[in-house]
Amino acid sequence: EWSLVESGGDSVQAGGSLRLSCRYSTYISRYIGWFRQTPGKAQEGVAAISLYAGNTLYPDSLEGRFHISHDNAKNTVALQMDSLKPEDTAVYSCAAGSELSLTASDFPYWGQGTQVTVSS
């Protein structure tokens, strides 16, 4: 049975950093993506990675502030977030899918999410 479990969410001040972790229980798919959502808005893709090739994908809007990485030995995918802004406040979720994408509908498997709050 598959599972995706996020951790690392917290409250930080603007300009700070957080590192989120997504642990997957077993081989679930070839790609993991990180998404965020605020009330009333759709899921927004913030990073994705190929678990085998290591290719990564980010939206231009993040201006290089986020970095995704994979630890094969620990079955985890991390999201390092730097220079955080209040508008980064959201529930962050990891998801597994079959292509390198930032589109939520391309990912059928989802974790429960972890809250990130950035105060000004």
Side-chain angles (χ1 to χ4, degrees):
E1 183 175 342
W2 66 270
S3 69
L4 292 164
V5 180
E6 303 94 338
S7 61
D10 205 345
S11 297
V12 297
Q13 291 200 331
S17 297
L18 274 179
R19 186 177 181 87
L20 305 182
S21 181
C22 171
R23 181 174 178 85
Y24 54 93
S25 59
T26 186
Y27 172 77
I28 186 171
S29 192
R30 296 177 61 188
Y31 303 93
I32 296 287
W34 277 99
F35 295 80
R36 65 185 182 187
Q37 188 174 33
T38 55
K41 294 189 176 181
Q43 291 280 2
E44 176 190 7
V46 297
I49 189 167
S50 165
L51 298 184
Y52 289 90
N55 298 335
T56 58
L57 183 64
Y58 304 93
D60 292 338
S61 60
L62 289 178
E63 302 172 318
R65 297 185 296 116
F66 291 10
H67 177 73
I68 190 171
S69 61
H70 175 222
D71 187 331
N72 186 52
K74 296 181 179 180
N75 280 9
T76 58
V77 172
L79 181 69
Q80 177 68 37
M81 306 185 294
D82 299 319
S83 302
L84 285 163
K85 305 176 181 180
E87 51 263 44
D88 293 320
T89 295
V91 174
Y92 284 73
S93 301
C94 62
S98 58
E99 61 182 287
L100 191 65
S101 168
L102 295 174
T103 302
S105 59
D106 290 333
F107 292 81
Y109 305 101
W110 288 78
Q112 293 299 309
T114 185
Q115 177 70 46
V116 171
T117 303
V118 184
S119 58
S120 58

